[in-house]
Amino acid sequence: MKKHTVRFSLNGTPREITVNANELLLNVTREQEKLTGTKYGCGIGECGACTVHVDGRPTLSCLQLAVAVDGAEVVTIEGLAKGRELDPLQKSFLDNNAVQCGYCTPGMIMIGRNLLDENPNPTEEEVRTHMRGQLCRCTGYASITKAVMGAGKCATGDFKIPAE
Ligand code: FES
Ligand code: FES
């Protein structure tokens, strides 16, 4: 199969990769780039676990061909923290105990961040509507919704990712 070169930005770093025409962005981030925060859930666009940002838009990476992100800016869950400083929404998930098994969490945070960028103070209904495509098998929707609504006022302001 003919190989294609794809140049794109991944979490702010320029990348050049070689892929088959049918390679999915989810496989590139998880397997080629070893960024395993993005999760494989259903593989058919129904659960939202694989959500990343492509040029600022939430994108299901299990349905996104890697060749189509040529020239784009891709951000995964690993790209949200600034150094050791978590994104306020990540802190809010901790504050609100919005993580159970954690499998849906990266996708939830990526779509929640997108909502907060557009609307910093969403109502419960706005959160639920925006995130209706995200599935949580642990059914933690109430605390997840609370975490997104409370991202502007979380208490773990001094929480830092531990140094390695
Ligand atoms: S793994 Fe992509 S939507 Fe479920
Ligand atoms: S926390 Fe387990 S799937 Fe959502």
Side-chain angles (χ1 to χ4, degrees):
M1 188 181 290
K2 185 175 181 296
K3 298 279 187 185
H4 298 263
T5 300
V6 180
R7 296 180 187 85
F8 66 116
S9 160
L10 181 58
N11 296 332
T13 303
R15 300 290 300 132
E16 181 174 314
I17 57 171
T18 304
V19 294
N20 290 326
N22 62 354
E23 193 77 64
L24 296 168
L25 180 58
L26 177 61
N27 298 336
V28 167
T29 52
R30 284 185 57 85
E31 289 163 25
Q32 261 180 266
E33 299 294 326
K34 309 296 180 205
L35 296 175
T36 54
T38 307
K39 298 296 183 245
Y40 177 94
C42 63
I44 54 171
E46 290 190 349
C47 74
C50 64
T51 304
V52 299
H53 293 172
V54 176
D55 288 336
R57 287 188 306 277
T59 300
L60 297 174
S61 59
C62 74
L63 299 182
Q64 176 71 56
L65 289 174
V67 288
V69 304
D70 190 43
E73 286 186 18
V74 176
V75 178
T76 67
I77 188 70
E78 289 88 350
L80 276 199
K82 301 284 175 273
R84 291 173 55 209
E85 189 71 35
L86 290 178
D87 183 273
L89 183 54
Q90 292 174 304
K91 293 178 184 174
S92 191
F93 265 65
L94 292 175
D95 270 9
N96 289 282
N97 299 315
V99 180
Q100 293 177 75
C101 80
Y103 205 81
C104 70
T105 308
M108 291 284 184
I109 289 177
M110 295 309 282
I111 194 123
R113 170 43 56 209
N114 166 258
L115 170 62
L116 293 167
D117 287 345
E118 293 171 359
N119 175 4
N121 287 302
T123 63
E124 180 174 342
E125 193 182 336
E126 286 169 336
V127 173
R128 287 184 182 272
T129 300
H130 191 83
M131 298 177 67
R132 64 188 178 279
Q134 309 296 121
L135 300 185
C136 174
R137 283 165 201 261
C138 303
T139 67
Y141 296 107
S143 51
I144 290 168
T145 302
K146 224 171 121 193
V148 177
M149 291 172 68
K153 37 190 178 303
C154 49
T156 48
D158 57 352
F159 182 88
K160 296 272 190 292
I161 299 172
E164 287 182 18

